[in-house]
Amino acid sequence: MTDRDIILVASGDSRLSANQVCWPAQAELEATVTATFAALGQRVVRGHPIDAAKGHGFIDGQAHGIEVFRSIDPAAPLVVAEAVWQYSSHVLAGLTRHRGPILTLANWSGQWPGLVGLLNLNGSLTKAGIPYSTIWSEDFSDDFARGFIAEWMRTVVRSTTPRTHAPFATTPSPAPSTRIVRWGPRPAPAFATSRPYSASSTKGVWGCTTRSSPTTSCTPWGCSRNA
């Protein structure tokens, strides 16, 4: 592992049987993600080993997650890859203290609810005020997904410094920005931000992250300019 590597972590279920049954799908996704990044000139390495005794490589509890993040460079770029249902509490404690760029990633599959798990984690990150980008795709072979990942590496991983924001600081601070994912085949609003941002890459659905400001108000159905 080097300081140029992207670290991959995977949150799973808390039930051993569920993690064992779902592990092959997760292993397939991780192989796809690793190959996708490698094709773009970036190495991805797991931040925690596969447990041969348990028969899976998921983070399967909050204490386990805290221990995993103790060994991860807090400034390293991080991918949270999800092909199955997961409990956000397994990784949220570590993510709140992680200063490097975070990308949440999932496949588009009806076998296991990985996308549902991803959106659950995204909601937790948003509520905790943790910056992140997000992407999902059927197999990450499409141009949109590859372009998104290349852009994330270029604009977020290679050209930004680690964040120093403490989500639960006791000193007064401005209200955190609001991220609203807008769905539908419509053009992105002119005031949408590009970093961090979110998008999907399949089934004709897309999303973009926008931020509230003194002149912009957001709701779960969209954003509008204030007079």
Side-chain angles (χ1 to χ4, degrees), residues 39-120:
L40 296 171
Q42 186 71 55
R43 191 172 78 147
V44 174
V45 297
R46 288 194 112 246
H48 50 104
I50 297 171
D51 191 324
K54 290 183 177 179
H56 67 80
F58 291 111
I59 296 173
D60 55 4
Q62 187 177 56
H64 184 192
I66 291 172
E67 188 63 29
V68 165
F69 275 88
R70 283 176 179 165
S71 64
I72 293 176
D73 179 359
L78 189 73
V79 169
V80 186
E82 298 299 336
V84 305
W85 171 250
Q86 61 84 40
Y87 288 89
S88 298
S89 58
H90 295 175
V91 293
L92 190 60
L95 292 173
T96 60
R97 309 310 303 173
H98 194 77
R99 302 192 308 273
I102 298 169
L103 173 66
T104 63
L105 177 152
N107 61 348
W108 184 287
S109 171
Q111 182 183 19
W112 309 114
L115 183 55
V116 178
L118 174 88
L119 296 177
N120 181 290

Side-chain angles (χ1 to χ4, degrees), residues 104-171:
T104 63
L105 177 152
N107 61 348
W108 184 287
S109 171
Q111 182 183 19
W112 309 114
L115 183 55
V116 178
L118 174 88
L119 296 177
N120 181 290
L121 177 60
N122 287 356
S124 297
L125 292 171
T126 299
K127 189 171 183 180
I130 303 170
Y132 67 95
S133 300
T134 192
I135 182 72
W136 57 91
S137 173
E138 190 166 342
D139 57 9
F140 293 92
S141 64
D142 55 287
D143 292 339
F144 185 93
R146 289 178 179 269
F148 178 94
I149 292 173
E151 179 72 3
W152 181 74
M153 290 193 301
R154 184 181 69 82
T155 63
V156 180
V157 175
R158 297 172 181 169
S159 63
T160 60
T161 55
R163 66 186 177 91
T164 57
H165 170 63
F168 304 111
T170 56
T171 55

